[in-house]
Amino acid sequence: MRTQVAIIGGGPAGLLLSQLLHKAGVASVVLERRSREYVLSRIRAGVLETGLVNLMHEAGIAERMDREGFIHDGTLIANGNDQFRIDFKELTGSHVMVYGQTEVTRDLYEARDAAGATVMHECSGVKPHDLTTDAPYVTFFHEGAVHRLDCDFIAGCDGFHGPCRQEIPLSVRREFEKVYPFGWLGVLSETPPVDNELIYSNSERGFALCSMRNANLSRYYIQCQLSDTPDDWTDDAFWDELRRRIPEEAADRLVTGPSIEKSIAPLRSFVCEPMQWGRMFLCGDAAHIVPPTGAKGLNTAASDVNYLWRALVAWYKDGERGGIDTYSETALARIWKAERFSWWMTTLLHRLPEQSEFDIRMQDADIAYLQHSTAAQTAMAENYVGLPY
Ligand code: RFL
Ligand code: PHB
């Protein structure tokens, strides 16, 4: 088999890259380890920056998002019962789109199918070879046979646990990591959201987030112990704890119901440098992870895709290799800013096990500054809606 770009990983990064390349006349093959049903059953991010929304338009997959997604012009921040709003529209002229990652992925699969693209599921033993030559290739098992895919370039869109990052020799690879001493317990329920905007809440009992997918589908999170399992939390225990962590007037309005999904995610900040090695380029979670507090996971994957797609198209259409050579540098410059913002939002809003009274006063002062300073709100809003590509 031969293609121009071999894409390892059929999550949002890999599929979006494949679709954008297709629109520009560049061929690709996507190799995914899991079944399509499995990929589509993962409940993850829900907030899209304008940059990603624009890429979806460019990729020709925005129709359902434009119809069913919700534009949010602001968000609510709470500290105990104190609540204030950050007005994205007034402060930045921009907004975010609330539309689930699962829906983005579904729209991408449909577009790839409609274009007759090759997306191979349940591939195992995927391995890139000869990355520092002009003729890289990938080997893998599929339906009981060994396959070889020759290509010009390889995109490693294989998530945090994928094999591509490991191909960068240890002598050049640097990894930066911070693991947070708590997790997020998330619940999806077929109930109307408690507010028409998101509520990020710091409380004495820990962090809580009220989010949504649509008018009758809510997504809620609470900070939990890393040792907790979803089975430790009955639905009633979850709702009780959530009520205690959000402002009273919101707790009074909260509509509860059975959970239709319940999961725990650990929180981590991680960056791998460089993001390219020879003819292989890393995109998304394969290269970096953010804690979900700033809603940046999917959005940083999209910004990598933006740079890589443009660089590859410039190579194929104009023989221009500047974008390819500087991909890692360009992508990392934006990634580190998203890492900083996600770390800051996480530190601002969570209770840490070793936090002293002084640390809590610092957190309170930071939130009060955000509440009363237009400069601080503008900085928060500009990062939340997404820094320019
Ligand atoms: P993905 O979505 O992990 O996709 C990578 C794909 O690569 C496949 N793969 C392989 N394929 C072939 N061969 C191999 N050896 C392979 N190994 C792995 C995987 O099966 C998968 O399909 O990464 P991508 O495309 O970079 O997209 C990034 C986003 O998915 C991610 O940043 C966000 O979802 C992060 N994230 C969240 N972000 C938010 O902004 N808000 C959230 O609420 C939020 N919740 C989450 C999350 C990530 C989670 N993970 C990774 C455990 C909740 C969870 C549980
Ligand atoms: C979500 O809706 O899943 C969501 C929203 C905002 C975040 C994280 C997760 O910061």
Side-chain angles (χ1 to χ4, degrees), residues 44-47 184 198 200 209 211 213 219 221 292-295 384:
R44 291 186 175 176
V47 176
W184 274 21
L198 272 63
Y200 287 89
L209 169 62
S211 182
R213 291 292 177 272
R219 181 73 167 154
Y221 298 94
T293 326
Y384 194 91

Side-chain angles (χ1 to χ4, degrees), residues 24-42:
V26 178
S28 65
V29 166
V30 177
L31 306 175
E32 165 60 46
R33 186 165 65 108
R34 303 283 193 172
S35 68
R36 181 180 294 205
E37 295 68 37
Y38 183 94
V39 174
L40 288 174
S41 69
R42 297 189 289 219

